[in-house]
Structure formats: C-alpha cells, structure tokens
Amino acid sequence: KFNALGRLFWIYKNQEKFKEAFGMLTKQIGLIENINKNDNYYQMLKISYNSNLAQLKFDFGFEKEAINILKNVINNFSLISFDESDITKNYTLNIHKISSYNVLGDFYFRLNSKENNILYLDSTSIYYNKAYQLVKELKPTHSNSKLLYNIRMAKVKIKREEYDSALKLVSINAKKDINSEQDIYFLKSTIFKKLGMIDSSIHYAKKFLIYKKIAPSTEKNKIIIYNNLSDLYDSKNIIDSAYKYSLLARKKLGKIYKNKNEAYNNKLLVLEGRLRKINVSNLNEEQPERNQLIIVGFYILVIILLFYFFNKHYKNSK
C-alpha cells in the first residue's frame, strides 16, 4: 500500500496536481507510524517518504530545507544493513542511494539557477559524480548510465559557459537512447544559441518540439525553447515567428503558475510554517522586455501594411 501511494504521489506531482500529491504523503506517514522503528523496513519507508517530501518542499520554495532533508536521507542509509546474500534488497538500496545523490545534485543545480552561486555548481558536480560511481558498481549494469551522466554534466558545463565541452559530452554517444534524445536536442539547441549558431539552434529546437512528452521537466524546457525561438527569429528579423513563440512561452508559463497557486491558496502545503511566495526561477523566462517589443513591433508592422494597402487602393481609385 505504501508503494502504491508513492507511485500515486509521483503521478499527481508530474501532473502538477499538488493537492492530491500532498494527500498521498499524508497517507504514507500514517502507515509508517505503525511500523517498528528499529526495523530495516521502517528505515526504507522513511527514506522513501522523506525523499518525496524533499521534492515537494523544493518545488514550493523551501530549497535549503529540502536539501537538508535529503542529506539526512543519505546519512540514514548507514542505518540499513542487509545480508550480502540478499541481492534484491541490496540492489534496491543502492538504487535509492544513486537516486538520492542525483536528486541532491539536481537541487543544487536549480539553486544555482536561482541564486547564481558558482559554489552550488561545485556541489552539483560532486553529487552527480557520487551517483555515477555507484551506478558503475551495479550488477546488472545500466546500459545508458554513461549517457545520463554526460547529459547531467553537460548542463553544468553550460552554466559554467564551457560550451564546447558541453557539446562534446552530448555528441560522443554512438548508441542512441530514445528516452534521452529529446533532452539532447534541448541541450544542443541551447549550446548552439550560446555559440551564436542561430540556424543550428533553431534546427535542434524544432527537433525537440517534435516529441509529445508532457513530463514537468519537459514542459519547463518547452518554455525555454519557445523563448529561445522567439529570440532567434527576432535576431533574424522574422517577426511573425518571434511573436508566435513568445505567446506560446507565456501561455505555457501561465499554466504552471496557475497549478501551483491553486495549491498555495488552499494552504495544502503548509508543512512547517507559512509558504513563501512561489518563485519558479528555474524556468528561466528570458527577456520579457524583448517579447513586449516584439508584440509592439508586430502591431506597428500591421499598421504600416494597412496604410500601404489603403494608400494603394486610394491611388488606384483615382
């Protein structure tokens, strides 16, 4: 039942139904309270619950608290000890450890996006590397572990403005992974934009948008891609396309704010104290002033065209 509630938590969270996601956590903690606290099983369930709680707290602005919760989760792995012969349980335990390191790396990465502190990128790299070292010890091994590690590290290098190194990381994988292709296209589009290679950036942005995935991370990346395309077409003076993607970005961003504000207003996520104002900084909504200029420019263009056609019609009617 606990595992079923955990799966429902992730389904609701990925659908951005935060009221329902919080409800699943509430039910989980009720189940944990009835288990012997000295049991390995209790420790595993507690780790799973706290990991989910950290995810929710981070999404709603309690970043430092979420990081502390996850660090405690990692420390509590030492409280769990299975017999070496129990391969299944030890494998599951290692998967939990790897996931916790990667998520902690994600937290520091997102915190860097908000506060622009390069020390957070150092922490991101450290925890991604710890996760990857554990992955290499798994039996059976994961065939795409190197690719996923490269994707994570490419994001760090982009933040460090090491664009050539980032591009190399997402280009050296001969074996394709259908589940990672969209992420690679997103990164390549971002890198080429930073390098000033406009047509290449547009090419990979369009390839990214072909996919129909609707995971929260993908939806957030769509906002960035829409904003990038608006900028790129604006730089090419293709005003109608720039205007189109600017509107798509704003529409997508508005949807995310609406879902989070609903949970906020209902006070369903007051876990400890009052929630801070929701700030989706990692969405990286770029240059709103430029988008406004695009809209103004669009209307000016329409007025000029109308004036031209009316003037032409007037001359022809003489």
Side-chain angles (χ1 to χ4, degrees), residues 276-301:
R276 292 200 302 268
K277 182 180 179 182
I278 297 166
N279 180 12
V280 195
S281 61
N282 61 312
L283 299 181
N284 193 22
E285 185 184 14
E286 298 181 353
Q287 301 184 10
E289 295 84 4
R290 172 174 287 222
N291 290 335
Q292 291 173 3
L293 287 174
I294 291 171
I295 294 171
V296 172
F298 174 78
Y299 285 117
I300 291 173
L301 180 62

Side-chain angles (χ1 to χ4, degrees), residues 109 112-113 121 154-163:
F109 183 82
N112 169 262
S113 297
L121 287 182
K155 294 176 182 178
V156 175
K157 289 187 177 294
I158 290 171
K159 285 287 186 180
R160 293 185 185 277
E161 299 182 359
E162 299 172 7
Y163 304 125

Side-chain angles (χ1 to χ4, degrees), residues 3 13 46 61 74 76 78 127 137 182 227 265 314 317:
N3 290 337
K13 182 179 180 297
K46 186 179 177 183
I74 291 171
N76 287 338
S78 61
Y127 287 111
E137 298 176 7
Q182 189 176 24
N227 271 322
N265 292 332
Y314 175 75
S317 65

Side-chain angles (χ1 to χ4, degrees), residues 165-183:
S165 297
L167 186 60
K168 183 178 179 181
L169 282 174
V170 294
S171 301
I172 61 177
N173 300 283
K175 184 177 179 180
K176 286 189 174 182
D177 178 11
I178 190 66
N179 294 317
S180 301
E181 278 186 342
Q182 189 176 24
D183 292 327

